[in-house]
Amino acid sequence: MKAGETARGGVNWRSKLINPVLDKEIRLRLRTPRAMWTLFFYLIAIGLLAFAAIYLTLGMTGRGASYNPEESRMLFYFLSMAQLGLVAFMAPGLTAGVISGEREKQTLNLLLTTQQSSFTIIISKLISSLSFMILIVTSTIPVYSMVFLYGGVSPKQLVLVFLFYLFMMAMLGSFGIFFSTVLKRTMISVISTYGVTLFIFVGTGILYFVTMSVVENYLQGSSPVTAANADSYRWIGHIITWNPIAALYSILDPTISDELFQGWRGGPSAKGAPMPIWLEFMIIYTVLSAAAIWVSIRKLRPRLNSRK
C-alpha cells in the first residue's frame, strides 16, 4: 500500500496535507498554556483599543450615545492599522528562531536525517508558525462586528483587509525563516528580522517624505511649475509602494494611490498612479519573499551544497 492510502483503499488526505514535521510543530505550539494566554491578551489588547477609540471619538465630537457611519469608518481604519502593527510585532518573533533554535538545541541535524526534504522542512516551519498567528487574527473578527453595527464599512473591505494580513504574515515570516537559516544565533536572527521590519514600516515612509520634501523645494524654486515638470518626479511614488501602511490605506481609500504619485503635492498633475499601491506592494514583496524562501531551502543543508 502506498503512503497516504488507507486500508480501505481510499486516500488519506490528512497524511498528504500534514507531514510529520508540520504535525509535530503545530502540536508543540498549541498544546502549551502560553498559546492560550497569548490569544487571551491579544484579544484584550484589540478590545481595549476599540473601546478606547469609540470613547475618544464620542468625547471629541460631543455626540453622547449617537454614532454615525463616518465615525464607524474611522474606527475601522484605526482597528485595521492597530492590528497591522500587532501583526508586524508578532510575526517576526514567531519565525525568526525556528531554524536557529533547532540548531542551538542540536536537533537540526537529527531533523535533516529524516526523509523530509529541505523544502518540506522550511515550508512546514513557516506554516506552523503562521498558523498560530492566523488563529489569533481571525479570532478578532467578532471585535470588528461593532463596526458593522453602525454601517459605513462593506464586508468586501473587511475581507480584503484580512487577506492583506495573511500576506503580511507570509512576507514577514519568510524573512524570519531566511535570517533564522543563514544566521546561527537566534538572538542575532531576531534582531535582524525586526530591523528589516522596522525599515519596511518606518524607513520607507521617512525616505518617501524626505525625497518628496527635497523635490518640492526644488520645484518651488523653479517657476513656472508645469504639469509635465511635476509629473517627471512621479517616480517618487514608487518609494511609498514599499510601505505596508500605505498599501493597507490604499485598500481602505483607493484615491490615496493617485495622491501619493503626484510629483508635487497640491501642484499640477495630469496622471494618476500606474497601479494601486497595494498591488505594486504585493508584487514587490512576493518576489522578495519567494527569494528568501528559496535561499533558506538552499542554505538549510550547507554541507551538501559545499560538496558540489
Side-chain angles (χ1 to χ4, degrees):
M1 180 184 301
K2 295 182 179 179
E5 293 184 357
T6 63
R8 297 181 177 179
V11 178
N12 188 351
W13 290 104
R14 183 178 183 278
S15 63
K16 284 183 172 295
L17 298 176
I18 303 178
N19 59 64
V21 177
L22 182 59
D23 184 59
K24 173 240 180 186
E25 291 293 329
I26 291 179
R27 288 177 185 273
L28 288 179
R29 193 171 294 275
L30 296 180
R31 75 179 181 181
T32 60
R34 187 176 61 181
M36 180 195 68
W37 288 114
T38 302
L39 179 61
F40 174 76
F41 285 113
Y42 189 89
L43 292 177
I44 290 291
I46 286 291
L48 289 177
L49 287 174
F51 283 113
I54 294 175
Y55 178 78
L56 292 176
T57 302
L58 295 178
M60 289 187 294
T61 57
R63 291 177 180 275
S66 63
Y67 207 74
N68 63 37
E70 183 62 27
E71 293 165 356
S72 176
R73 189 179 299 109
M74 295 304 297
L75 174 61
F76 179 66
Y77 289 3
F78 175 78
L79 283 178
S80 300
M81 292 296 175
Q83 180 132 279
L84 178 63
L86 292 174
V87 168
F89 177 75
M90 295 186 66
L94 290 173
T95 57
V98 291
I99 300 298
S100 57
E102 295 278 359
R103 189 181 291 114
E104 290 177 348
K105 291 185 293 185
Q106 298 182 347
T107 55
L108 180 60
N109 290 334
L110 182 62
L111 182 62
L112 296 178
T113 58
T114 63
Q115 295 180 346
Q116 305 300 319
S117 64
S118 300
F119 175 84
T120 302
I121 294 173
I122 292 294
I123 296 299
S124 298
K125 289 282 187 180
L126 179 62
I127 293 176
S128 63
S129 301
L130 297 183
S131 60
F132 180 61
M133 195 70 211
I134 293 172
L135 173 64
I136 290 178
V137 171
T138 53
S139 65
T140 62
I141 291 179
V143 179
Y144 283 82
S145 62
M146 67 178 68
V147 177
F148 290 100
L149 291 176
Y150 304 98
V153 179
S154 66
K156 179 182 177 182
Q157 281 185 308
L158 182 64
V159 172
L160 290 177
V161 167
F162 273 80
L163 290 177
F164 186 78
Y165 289 153
L166 294 178
F167 179 81
M168 285 298 300
M169 292 178 210
M171 182 195 89
L172 297 175
S174 63
F175 292 158
I177 289 280
F178 167 76
F179 285 112
S180 182
T181 305
V182 299
L183 300 176
K184 295 182 179 179
R185 307 296 298 178
T186 299
M187 182 60 68
I188 300 175
S189 172
V190 171
I191 293 174
S192 301
T193 307
Y194 275 108
V196 170
T197 303
L198 183 64
F199 175 77
I200 292 173
F201 273 80
V202 181
T204 54
I206 293 176
L207 186 61
Y208 169 78
F209 285 110
V210 169
T211 309
M212 180 63 76
S213 177
V214 172
V215 170
E216 283 183 348
N217 291 333
Y218 171 75
L219 290 176
Q220 287 175 352
S222 60
S223 58
V225 180
T226 64
N229 192 16
D231 285 340
S232 64
Y233 293 95
R234 292 175 63 252
W235 57 267
I236 298 173
H238 292 288
I239 298 176
I240 202 62
T241 59
W242 292 69
N243 188 281
I245 298 176
L248 177 59
Y249 196 82
S250 68
I251 294 175
L252 302 173
D253 183 5
T255 61
I256 196 67
S257 296
D258 293 336
E259 294 180 10
L260 292 176
F261 265 86
Q262 287 183 346
W264 180 22
R265 286 174 294 184
S269 181
K271 300 179 181 178
M275 65 177 69
I277 288 179
W278 63 267
L279 181 58
E280 187 169 343
F281 174 86
M282 286 189 171
I283 293 174
I284 293 171
Y285 284 103
T286 297
V287 174
L288 293 179
S289 300
I293 292 175
W294 181 78
V295 173
S296 301
I297 294 171
R298 297 283 297 176
K299 293 292 184 181
L300 186 62
R301 288 184 167 89
R303 292 181 180 178
L304 294 179
N305 293 332
S306 62
R307 293 176 182 176
K308 296 181 179 180

